[in-house]
């Protein structure tokens, strides 16, 4: 990565002495940029993980909804005589022919 000009100035009255001293230590060792970058990358990774977990939950809920709707349709088909009772034998997903 190429050298960049200093374009950020952080001004806040809410830094504790402990936090300020830690940042000052990194700044004096010329590693503040790397430290901040690592924190931001960690945050980005965490938010990506959270987003995936939310998507996984939504996908699971959608499959559950579809499963329930299919069960309702099967029950309706059986009660209306639309198909024979043996038409809806449960099969393992791996045993269903393609």
């Amino acid at each position: 990565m190429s050298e960049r000009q200093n374009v950020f100035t952080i001004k806040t009255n809410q830094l504790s002495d402990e936090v300020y001293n830690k940042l000052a230590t990194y700044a004096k060792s010329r590693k503040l940029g790397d430290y901040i970058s690592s924190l931001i990358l960690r945050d980005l990774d965490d938010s990506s993980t959270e987003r995936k977990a939310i998507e996984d939950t939504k996908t699971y809920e959608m499959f559950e909804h579809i499963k329930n709707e299919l069960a309702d349709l099967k029950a309706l088909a059986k009660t209306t005589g639309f198909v024979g009772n043996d038409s809806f034998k449960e099969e393992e997903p791996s045993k269903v022919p393609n």
Side-chain angles (χ1 to χ4, degrees):
M1 194 175 297
S2 63
E3 279 295 316
R4 297 184 182 172
Q5 289 183 323
N6 294 332
V7 294
F8 298 105
T9 301
I10 300 171
K11 293 184 180 184
T12 181
N13 294 330
Q14 298 178 357
L15 289 179
S16 68
D17 289 339
E18 183 180 27
V19 171
Y20 182 86
N21 291 335
K22 187 70 169 178
L23 290 172
T25 301
Y26 277 106
K28 287 177 187 170
S29 67
R30 299 183 135 329
K31 294 183 179 180
L32 182 58
D34 292 340
Y35 176 67
I36 292 172
S37 178
S38 71
L39 293 176
I40 292 170
L41 289 172
R42 185 183 69 194
D43 287 350
L44 291 172
D45 188 44
D46 287 349
S47 68
S48 174
T49 302
E50 290 171 19
R51 192 176 318 117
K52 179 156 178 24
I54 291 169
E55 289 172 0
D56 288 349
T57 300
K58 287 181 180 179
T59 301
Y60 175 79
E61 289 171 355
M62 184 176 54
F63 283 133
E64 283 297 308
H65 177 74
I66 292 169
K67 179 179 147 188
N68 292 334
E69 290 292 321
L70 286 174
D72 291 346
L73 286 172
K74 287 178 182 180
L76 181 63
K78 285 179 183 179
T79 60
T80 60
F82 184 71
V83 292
N85 285 337
D86 61 347
S87 297
F88 293 117
K89 292 180 182 174
E90 293 293 325
E91 293 187 37
E92 296 285 327
S94 61
K95 295 180 181 176
V96 176
N98 291 335

